[in-house]
Amino acid sequence: MRHLLSMRDLDRDGVLSILDTAASMHDVQRREVKKLPTLRGRTVVNLFFEDSTRTRSSFEIAGKWLSADVINISGKGSSTSKGESLRDTVLTVAAMGVDGLVIRHGASGAAAQVSQWVDAVVVNAGDGTHEHPTQALLDAYTMRQRLGDLEGRHVAIVGDLTHSRVLRSNLICLRTLGARVTVVAPPTLMPSGIATWAATDGFETAYDLDEVLPHVDAVMMLRVQRERMSGGYFPTAREYTVGYGLTRERLARLPEHAVICHPGPMNRGLEIAADAADAAQSLILDQVSAGVAVRMSVLYHLLASSGAGTAEGSVA
Amino acid sequence: MSLLIKGADLAGAGAGDLLVRDGVIVEAGAVSVPADAEVIDADGLVALPGLVDLHTHLREPGREDAETIASGSAAAAVGGYTAVLAMANTSPVTDTAEAAERVAELGQRAGLVDVQPVGAVTKGLAGEELAELGLMARSRARVRVFSDDGRCVADARVMRRALEYVKAFGGVVSQHSQDPRLAGPDACCHEGELSGRLGLPGWPAVAEESIVARDVMLARHTGSRVHVAHASTAGTVEVLRWAKAQGIAVTAEVTPHHLVLTTDLLAGYDPTFKVNPPLRPAEDVEALREALADGTIDAVATDHAPHARHDKEHAFVDAAFGMLGLETALSVVSDVMVRSGRLDWAGVARVMSVSPARIAGLTGHGRPLAVGEPANLTLVDPDATVTIDRQASHSLSRNNPWHGRTLTGAVHGTVLRGRPTVLKGALA
């Protein structure tokens, strides 16, 4: 693996290798002195064309704890906003001697395109409504911490599927790990062609959350992007919550052992009730904590030594 | 000085010679070589009436870094064209008589093909008020085709009025059929399974089909002519078939790229393949081929859309729409339609010259290769194989989707009013 652009870049062994390394990194995170010398002398640029405090900070801390020199460049006011092409902008950044480029962009495919233009290792930190692979890895990591091996486990992913990059990466990641996945949303928020997609990739689709919930080991609630509400995807917030929110009543019907995930930021009271977000089964804060360890692992696998595939374990 | 084209296959109707003098075919059949004649040995070549492109973007005025009327004319001539219709979405827009005359004049100055301006349907392509359609029609540019191409005339009332108005001077409205409300403003590809996976906002096929259906009903209501630009879906073909069976005056074109390329090519987010309307799945491509062969679709039009490199080097959703087409259209049609037996060379003449000229009201083009007719013609080497190289182009742009592909059938020569503009594949 030269870059991490999509969860399709990793096979099962590759995912497990990253998750296992993340566990070691998680231990480091609990030490008093958190720094490892692994990426000393390496430069990682977080090139964020789209705001994201959570993901950017997570990558920044991950890079710094591995002793890399980390530079943050915000897309706001960048050259592309002044009319420069994306290619020229990233070539300019890369020409400064960058080893790793962590890119967040509002356009699907941007990270993949950038990887064709630069020599640096590229990590996709979220591209439009396409993918967010490190989010999927940290979700899998968090679920495994609580549930153990995900093979055969049943995960429901609920909410605005159409506009969710978290969905697309999680689908691949969870299926790679052998989990059973059901996606739940009103038909207007199902991605186009999902029936064919589901048949090919072996997941299920449902419109009725109440039929699915009693049978899951994990439920992942996706954020309703409020700006979508004016697009006529559903009539009102109230109707959405009644149909697809993880309400207090639904929480009570969730199997006792089942866990709750949410990639954040949450709309409390809309897709997830406060009771559910703060419940004992909720892994939402664990997800955030795991984010740093998983991103350390990813940077380690991609950038340690000569770069590709030098870490222990097998990476596709 | 005369020109003798010796031994060509005349649009598939058997071999013969054509003697041209003063821009007119003066003898056909077995012609002895006059002393003053320039002779083109056309043995093994097919002669077609000069190709006519209903749909070309020449970018001048406004984006001369991407294409000029002169560079686009050169690309057109090399592609076998003797006439092109230059779309109105330039900057400023071709929505006045003066703007149209300027385009025609620059075309005459380049002198390689007849450049016929298309007039905008609405002022500034804004879709609200009719442009000065009559003044453009009565100008020296003699505009007959009107289009807001790049945008759909989405307001049914405006479309109705445009269709009614152009009847006065035998005009036709060429519609970019795409309901803007059926997809968001960021739509950039075909809506389907792949767009779902890639997270790209798409246009559903019905966005095109619903406008085509509406427009054919408006054409029936107004008794006017409507032309469907770049048809791209199987559903559009169904509507066209029905409309033609009803006797409604609708014509349609398909691009070479929609006859071959499929939406799967977007998997790598390469903006070279970003085009509007978008590339569709294989079943649509098959329906378009069938419709072109059986006459449901009347014409092949390139939608030649040159872009400067930096306008394509953005993230996919931000990159410009469009691909080059003038220099490769004949080879693509030859490769996909002739080699498969779906069209013979007379059929190619019909869809790339005769019908486009008729739709556009160009009386000097798309004529039979016969005595007394204007000597606008294209010589094709049906057996030549060409490997497309994006660097070898007369266009100022390089957004060529065929780069690296090998196609069978190539333009050998082009003759405009008796004067060779292209010989042996190169500008004469």
Side-chain angles (χ1 to χ4, degrees):
Chain A
M1 181 179 68
R2 170 148 161 64
H3 307 286
L4 180 59
L5 306 171
S6 160
M7 279 309 301
R8 291 186 201 283
D9 294 336
L10 292 164
D11 62 11
R12 181 183 164 84
D13 287 346
V15 173
L16 292 176
S17 172
I18 285 178
L19 298 187
D20 289 344
T21 308
S24 314
M25 298 297 181
H26 217 161
D27 291 340
V28 171
Q29 209 173 321
R30 294 185 189 110
R31 289 186 204 161
E32 195 174 333
V33 177
K34 299 178 174 68
K35 237 169 165 81
L36 293 175
T38 320
L39 297 185
R40 188 180 292 153
R42 298 279 181 151
T43 302
V44 176
V45 170
N46 291 331
L47 183 54
F48 275 50
F49 291 92
E50 193 182 68
D51 287 337
S52 164
T53 309
R54 185 183 306 234
T55 305
R56 187 187 52 70
S57 308
S58 182
F59 268 108
E60 184 176 0
I61 294 167
K64 284 182 171 167
W65 285 355
L66 290 171
S67 299
D69 294 308
V70 181
I71 294 155
N72 294 316
I73 298 178
S74 163
K76 278 196 171 173
S78 75
S79 304
T80 45
S81 66
K82 295 171 189 163
E84 189 176 56
S85 74
L86 178 63
R87 182 171 184 269
D88 284 340
T89 300
V90 296
L91 284 179
T92 303
V93 172
M96 295 174 190
V98 171
D99 299 297
L101 204 52
V102 177
I103 182 163
R104 159 69 67 97
H105 199 288
S108 302
Q113 290 175 263
V114 167
S115 73
Q116 291 170 13
W117 298 328
V118 298
D119 291 330
V121 164
V122 176
V123 179
N124 180 6
D127 61 327
T129 51
H130 177 224
E131 279 208 47
H132 193 359
T134 57
Q135 177 72 43
L137 288 165
L138 75 87
D139 290 341
Y141 177 86
T142 314
M143 283 188 261
R144 286 178 96 235
Q145 294 278 93
R146 188 69 74 92
L147 298 172
D149 189 356
L150 297 183
E151 177 82 41
R153 293 288 197 171
H154 187 186
V155 182
I157 305 177
V158 185
D160 181 357
L161 309 178
T162 295
H163 303 101
S164 175
R165 52 189 166 216
V166 175
L167 165 82
R168 288 168 176 80
S169 284
N170 261 297
L171 264 179
I172 304 164
C173 184
L174 290 168
R175 293 295 299 134
T176 301
L177 292 174
R180 176 186 168 196
V181 182
T182 303
V183 298
V184 188
T188 48
L189 288 173
M190 291 273 187
S192 56
I194 189 130
T196 320
W197 181 3
T200 313
D201 285 8
F203 62 90
E204 296 151 54
T205 63
Y207 301 141
D208 189 338
L209 181 57
D210 291 310
E211 277 184 9
V212 176
L213 268 190
H215 311 291
V216 301
D217 299 296
V219 58
M220 183 178 300
M221 304 306 297
L222 299 176
R223 184 171 76 89
V224 173
Q225 302 181 35
R226 286 180 180 274
E227 62 273 22
R228 310 288 178 205
M229 288 165 64
S230 60
Y233 291 97
F234 50 88
T236 60
R238 188 171 68 124
E239 181 164 328
Y240 183 87
T241 302
V242 169
Y244 298 95
L246 189 55
T247 57
R248 181 189 294 177
E249 296 72 30
R250 287 199 174 101
L251 175 65
R253 294 201 294 273
L254 203 60
E256 217 165 281
H257 73 282
V259 296
I260 299 165
C261 294
H262 191 302
M266 290 180 282
N267 293 304
R268 285 176 183 256
L270 180 54
E271 74 266 5
I272 188 164
D275 287 355
D278 302 330
Q281 301 106 301
S282 169
L283 300 182
I284 296 168
L285 287 178
D286 302 79
Q287 289 174 271
V288 178
S289 168
V292 175
V294 165
R295 284 161 183 139
M296 286 173 79
S297 172
V298 166
L299 292 176
Y300 169 76
H301 277 266
L302 290 169
L303 285 164
S305 306
S306 58
T310 54
E312 78 277 6
S314 107
V315 179
Chain B
M1 183 74 179
S2 55
L3 176 71
L4 179 64
I5 297 160
K6 194 128 189 73
D9 179 350
L10 304 178
D17 307 331
L18 293 172
L19 182 65
V20 174
R21 194 167 283 137
D22 299 325
V24 175
I25 298 170
V26 292
E27 275 186 69
V31 180
S32 51
V33 184
D36 67 337
E38 177 185 353
V39 179
I40 297 177
D41 178 5
D43 186 28
L45 304 181
V46 176
L48 306 175
L51 307 185
V52 175
D53 189 18
L54 279 169
H55 196 141
T56 304
H57 295 276
L58 293 178
R59 304 295 183 220
E60 184 176 6
R63 284 306 302 267
E64 290 84 351
D65 59 326
E67 196 77 289
T68 62
I69 289 174
S71 66
S73 294
V78 169
Y81 288 93
T82 53
V84 298
L85 279 93
M87 277 295 165
N89 61 341
T90 47
S91 180
V93 172
T94 308
D95 58 1
T96 64
E98 293 74 18
E101 287 180 348
R102 176 73 176 150
V103 169
E105 184 187 312
L106 287 169
Q108 278 169 10
R109 202 176 294 172
L112 291 166
V113 292
D114 285 343
V115 176
Q116 175 64 35
V118 172
V121 177
T122 64
K123 289 177 189 166
L125 309 176
E128 292 166 4
E129 296 174 78
L130 291 183
E132 293 176 341
L133 308 178
L135 291 181
M136 287 190 273
R138 293 178 194 102
S139 74
R140 278 175 288 143
R142 216 188 145 272
V143 177
R144 288 294 177 273
V145 181
F146 299 89
S147 181
D148 278 1
D149 183 59
R151 298 183 191 177
C152 179
V153 181
D155 185 319
R157 189 179 57 91
V158 174
M159 187 62 180
R160 173 198 170 165
R161 296 292 179 228
L163 287 169
E164 285 172 339
Y165 202 81
V166 301
K167 283 167 68 178
F169 36 81
V172 61
V173 177
S174 172
Q175 174 73 293
H176 184 134
S177 308
Q178 193 172 69
D179 184 339
R181 298 288 293 165
L182 277 174
D186 295 330
C188 60
C189 64
H190 170 72
E191 183 185 296
E193 187 201 352
L194 189 70
S195 72
R197 284 177 184 266
L198 294 177
L200 291 173
W203 283 290
V206 71
E208 174 173 310
E209 293 151 2
S210 58
I211 293 290
V212 174
R214 181 201 75 176
D215 285 352
V216 296
M217 298 313 282
L218 286 173
R220 179 163 79 172
H221 177 76
T222 57
S224 189
R225 286 200 296 147
V226 69
H227 177 71
V228 177
H230 39 49
S232 73
T233 81
T236 291
V237 168
E238 283 180 52
V239 176
L240 289 169
R241 206 164 267 145
W242 175 85
K244 288 193 167 189
Q246 304 302 306
I248 299 170
V250 57
T251 54
E253 68 189 36
V254 63
T255 72
H257 49 270
H258 285 108
L259 287 173
V260 180
L261 307 179
T262 55
T263 191
D264 313 10
L265 289 162
L266 304 190
Y269 295 101
D270 181 350
T272 306
F273 299 107
K274 182 180 174 183
V275 65
N276 181 4
L279 301 179
R280 304 287 188 183
E283 50 270 32
D284 292 292
V285 169
E286 176 53 30
L288 294 167
R289 291 178 182 181
E290 192 182 326
L292 183 66
D294 71 18
T296 303
I297 289 178
D298 303 80
V300 171
T302 67
D303 196 5
H304 176 80
H307 286 293
R309 205 186 72 163
H310 55 268
D311 289 324
K312 280 285 191 182
E313 289 179 338
H314 291 280
F316 189 87
V317 297
D318 302 325
F321 288 103
M323 43 183 65
L324 299 185
L326 282 170
E327 290 164 297
T328 48
L330 187 281
S331 295
V332 173
V333 171
S334 163
D335 200 73
V336 70
M337 298 299 289
V338 179
R339 281 181 78 205
S340 64
R342 288 180 185 249
L343 280 181
D344 57 16
W345 287 106
V348 175
R350 170 171 58 79
V351 300
M352 295 190 77
S353 178
V354 177
S355 296
R358 176 177 48 81
I359 292 165
L362 297 180
T363 52
H365 293 269
R367 304 293 305 165
L369 298 177
V371 172
E373 297 289 352
N376 295 317
L377 54 99
T378 304
L379 297 170
V380 178
D381 184 341
D383 301 318
T385 54
V386 283
T387 301
I388 308 299
D389 176 0
R390 70 160 67 95
Q391 298 307 326
S393 175
H394 291 81
S395 171
L396 297 182
S397 295
R398 295 289 176 269
N399 50 316
N400 188 332
W402 310 103
H403 179 69
R405 288 191 185 228
T406 299
L407 303 168
T408 301
V411 173
H412 178 90
T414 312
V415 176
L416 177 66
R417 282 185 283 282
R419 180 175 67 86
T421 54
V422 171
L423 285 173
K424 295 181 180 170
L427 286 176

